[in-house]
Amino acid sequence: MITNMLRGAAAFCLALTSLTLPSPTTTATATATARMVPVPEVLPLEDAVGRLPVAEEDRTGYTRDSFEHWNTGLDAADGCDTRDEVLLAEAVREPNVAAGCELSGGKWNSYYDGVEVGEADGLGVDHMVPLAEAWDSGAHTWDAERREAYANDQGAAASLVAVTARTIRSKADQDPATWTPPLPEAHCRYIGEWTATKLRWGLAADQPEAEALKVYAEACETTVVHYSPAP
């Protein structure tokens, strides 16, 4: 899956070092800033699954409107909402962009089912961990602002994924205990990205889900999970 720099790819830069020693104030400020930056984690899938808390799920009070989406995205001035920005980021051949962020042409690879898609209308943008599942496993305790941040998360490439609309309908709000992508070759990647998203947002897994993840982790022994805690 191709993503752009706006969706969380690491950027590296060279820094010029002053010839003078930093003042205590400068050092303290730099230290405080460093503490605020989430530290990326890289773990074998089995270890990552082991970090998920196991808890009963609770859907009391859930409505899809509890998560405001799609919002204006990373660039409020570009006329594209979050969904459009994800489609642009994941295109393997860039589409034409008309007024109102109308997309035409382009090409995408839907990794859930291995289908190549030539028009944006054939795609949906899937929340890796569905909104209802997120609510069940911890988001019901969040305020509206954090739920909106979750629903529009472009800070990690795994959080939102452009795939065929039919696979999103098939998945609905199921977790890996009852649904995985129809393409078997996608299973390890999917389980890794599911786990990464739950860890990023501090979400729990219920018992059947946790057991399913452990089974997949044993089979996907070379899969590595990358995640950073959400701000």
Side-chain angles (χ1 to χ4, degrees):
M1 180 173 62
I2 297 176
T3 57
N4 64 13
M5 291 176 64
L6 294 177
R7 299 191 65 224
F12 295 91
C13 63
L14 295 176
L16 294 177
T17 303
S18 172
L19 295 177
T20 60
L21 291 174
S23 69
T25 300
T26 301
T27 302
T29 301
T31 301
T33 301
R35 286 173 179 167
M36 291 188 292
V37 177
V39 178
E41 295 272 3
V42 181
L43 299 167
L45 177 57
E46 186 173 10
D47 292 347
V49 168
R51 287 196 180 187
L52 291 173
V54 178
E56 293 293 326
E57 295 184 349
D58 182 3
R59 193 163 295 189
T60 304
Y62 169 75
T63 67
R64 193 167 175 82
D65 292 340
S66 300
F67 296 80
E68 183 178 340
H69 69 290
W70 305 106
N71 65 18
T72 56
L74 297 175
D75 183 357
D78 68 0
C80 300
D81 62 17
T82 297
R83 179 186 182 278
D84 294 327
E85 289 181 355
V86 172
L87 293 176
L88 288 168
E90 296 200 5
V92 296
R93 184 175 68 227
E94 188 174 353
N96 298 314
V97 185
C101 207
E102 289 293 326
L103 307 182
S104 61
K107 184 171 74 174
W108 292 263
N109 293 325
S110 169
Y111 95 79
Y112 285 5
D113 48 4
V115 173
E116 184 178 288
V117 180
E119 287 290 341
D121 289 347
L123 294 158
V125 171
D126 187 35
H127 290 94
M128 174 57 59
V129 175
L131 301 181
E133 169 68 20
W135 177 276
D136 296 351
S137 53
H140 59 276
T141 67
W142 299 348
D143 61 20
E145 182 178 5
R146 189 160 183 80
R147 288 197 290 268
E148 180 180 356
Y150 176 85
N152 297 276
D153 182 18
Q154 294 188 71
S159 297
L160 300 170
V161 56
V163 290
T164 55
R166 64 173 174 265
T167 57
I168 297 176
R169 290 192 295 270
S170 171
K171 173 181 173 179
D173 59 5
Q174 298 178 83
D175 68 34
T178 55
W179 191 91
T180 49
L183 185 68
E185 293 82 0
H187 289 178
C188 290
R189 174 180 172 182
Y190 181 79
I191 295 300
E193 294 187 348
W194 177 281
T195 303
T197 304
K198 285 220 159 179
L199 288 172
R200 172 170 169 77
W201 288 93
L203 298 172
D206 65 12
Q207 193 64 48
E209 176 190 351
E211 291 174 359
L213 292 174
K214 289 176 183 177
V215 170
Y216 280 109
E218 290 176 1
C220 302
E221 58 185 5
T222 62
T223 299
V224 176
V225 171
H226 299 255
Y227 79 95
S228 294

